[in-house]
Amino acid sequence: MNNFQYKRVSSPLAAITELSKNPAAKLIAGGTNLVDLMKYGVMAPEKLVDVNHLNFDTITKKDGLLHIGATVRNAVASENADVLKYQPLLSQAMLAGASAQLRNKATMGGNLLQRTRCGYFYDVSAPCNKRVPGSGCGAMEGYNRMHAIFGASSSCIAVNPSDMNVALTALDAVILVSGPKGDRKIPISEFHRLPGTHPELDTTLDKKEIITGINIPDNNFAAHTTYLKVRDRISYAFALISVAVALDLEGTTIRDIRLAMGGVAHKPWRLKEAEQMLKGKEATVENFKMAAELAMKGAKAYEHNAFKLKLAPNTMVQALKTASGIKG
Ligand SMILES: Cc1cc2nc3c(=O)[nH]c(=O)nc-3n(C[C@H](O)[C@H](O)[C@H](O)COP(=O)(O)OP(=O)(O)OC[C@H]3O[C@@H](n4cnc5c(N)ncnc54)[C@H](O)[C@@H]3O)c2cc1C
């Protein structure tokens, strides 16, 4: 690991000033991703700016929003009474991620920005356009079992590894950020990016901006949510496919619906066409299968991940069945 400086800041302005002064500085929160990346030599920040002592550690429910501060631990958020009551999908997704120990350290801001788990990104001897722009993509012709089936480019086929981000995408969360030019609110659909020709950029966050919190607007989904994650091990493994479902049911009719998939793209993958198709329809397995077929439009597999073309729609149908209470 390279030498680095460490600075603890106590105000958002001090954090922004540190980032503005030194382009090679990085914020550190729980450190569960960044420190690993530094140990592997994937990232080598000159300075770590510790955000753990900023006042971003509260969860509040008011004015039609659930607000979760950026430094709230994933364990705290997933067990919070308001999260469980108003946004249980978020809790389900976070509890499907990592391990209890990791969730005790991991923060909301850090989870939003955790980097891909593509093996070629972590292997500094391999080409990777995300790690070293212009060096090529080892995964394209390599071992690409975990990789994207939607939205990839000729530069990068990596996926966003976060479970939390999939639920936040389904719930239309808004990311609150602060920077030298002031505050802004970024809808999560515009926060993570597709790789295009710049896979080194995971998000639209400016390098000098910090995340201060997350807002989730109220909804009527709390009674019918499911986060279904398919992975190689039951815990401590990233999603091969995951599906977040939130339903507003009137009897067996779908009044409103949100659907998002994880493990399939460089950003959490919202399934808007499938949502549109199911809105106003009966919650039946037949309708779920038709929606899953629609959701897979445009999917493209690589040598080792063709199984995802079947696993993804099957997971989606199963998640919809569970959320709507259909047994089996
Ligand atoms: C063994 C293992 C298994 C895991 N399994 C899963 C899993 O199954 N599912 C899953 O979703 N995740 C999993 N994770 C990932 C884990 O959830 C993330 O490492 C964690 O959420 C990152 O949060 P952190 O606070 O530790 O971030 P850090 O490591 O501190 O930071 C991560 C990034 O976020 C930036 N950052 C942090 N806070 C802010 C802020 N306020 N503003 C701007 N930038 C900020 C940092 O600069 C850094 O770039 C796993 C991790 C490990 C090590």
Side-chain angles (χ1 to χ4, degrees):
M1 191 144 87
N2 292 338
N3 286 337
F4 58 87
Q5 292 178 300
Y6 168 86
K7 178 138 186 190
R8 180 187 285 184
V9 286
S10 51
S11 75
L13 182 61
I16 294 163
T17 305
E18 287 295 337
L19 294 179
S20 303
K21 275 196 314 203
N22 185 352
K26 285 298 273 181
L27 302 184
I28 185 160
T32 60
N33 190 213
L34 183 54
V35 174
D36 273 358
L37 290 166
M38 290 167 70
K39 287 183 189 163
Y40 281 103
V42 177
M43 294 176 80
E46 285 174 9
K47 191 172 202 175
L48 292 183
V49 180
D50 185 343
V51 294
N52 285 294
H53 300 272
L54 304 183
N55 285 329
F56 298 146
D57 55 356
T58 54
I59 301 179
T60 49
K61 170 74 182 70
K62 61 175 182 186
D63 303 332
L65 292 171
L66 181 72
H67 172 81
I68 309 177
T71 57
V72 171
R73 307 288 149 181
N74 285 179
V76 171
S78 61
E79 287 156 17
N80 175 270
D82 284 336
V83 173
L84 288 167
K85 182 170 177 193
Y86 298 104
Q87 308 295 350
L89 180 63
L90 178 61
S91 172
Q92 291 157 9
M94 282 195 293
L95 290 174
S99 65
Q101 292 92 333
L102 283 159
R103 292 193 297 269
N104 277 336
K105 285 300 285 179
T107 63
M108 304 302 286
N111 198 329
L112 276 169
L113 291 181
Q114 66 168 291
R115 307 214 65 191
T116 185
R117 293 281 159 171
C118 173
Y120 298 92
F121 176 69
Y122 269 77
D123 179 355
V124 291
S125 67
C128 172
N129 288 320
K130 184 178 279 300
R131 181 170 28 78
V132 182
S135 62
C137 173
M140 195 77 66
E141 304 293 329
Y143 190 55
N144 41 39
R145 181 169 177 271
M146 296 293 290
H147 290 72
I149 53 172
F150 292 115
S153 73
S154 56
S155 300
C156 181
I157 62 171
V159 297
N160 185 300
S162 168
D163 293 297
M164 181 189 91
N165 292 345
V166 183
L168 289 176
T169 297
L171 296 169
D172 284 324
V174 174
I175 315 307
L176 311 182
V177 310
S178 210
K181 294 182 188 153
D183 298 340
R184 54 185 191 120
K185 295 179 180 175
I186 312 175
I188 191 156
S189 58
E190 294 165 24
F191 184 78
H192 297 99
R193 338 174 29 259
L194 289 179
T197 51
H198 285 287
E200 73 278 12
L201 301 175
D202 294 342
T203 69
T204 55
L205 189 73
D206 187 85
K207 282 189 172 155
K208 296 171 193 157
E209 285 178 319
I210 66 169
I211 299 170
T212 60
I214 299 169
N215 281 348
I216 307 175
D218 285 356
N219 56 52
N220 295 317
F221 299 128
H224 301 284
T225 64
T226 294
Y227 185 75
L228 182 57
K229 176 176 177 180
V230 181
R231 47 188 150 170
D232 288 324
R233 284 189 308 265
I234 193 67
S235 81
Y236 215 54
F238 291 89
L240 289 165
I241 297 287
S242 69
V243 177
V245 178
L247 291 173
D248 175 10
L249 292 177
E250 188 173 25
T252 54
T253 306
I254 300 171
R255 203 162 23 196
D256 202 1
I257 176 165
R258 299 282 187 279
L259 286 165
M261 235 180 230
V264 293
H266 197 258
K267 62 188 283 184
W269 198 246
R270 182 77 178 263
L271 304 169
K272 284 214 168 168
E273 278 187 57
E275 288 175 8
Q276 276 311 112
M277 193 238 112
L278 284 171
K279 216 167 156 176
K281 299 256 176 26
E282 286 298 296
T284 64
V285 175
E286 197 182 27
N287 283 336
F288 295 159
K289 284 186 176 165
M290 277 181 351
E293 205 174 301
L294 193 60
M296 295 307 291
K297 225 172 60 185
K300 177 188 169 198
Y302 296 86
E303 188 179 351
H304 300 283
N305 71 351
F307 70 94
K308 287 193 178 185
L309 300 180
K310 270 193 181 172
L311 185 61
N314 287 348
T315 308
M316 182 172 153
V317 171
Q318 187 59 45
L320 280 160
K321 281 167 65 180
T322 307
S324 55
I326 298 175
K327 298 267 183 287

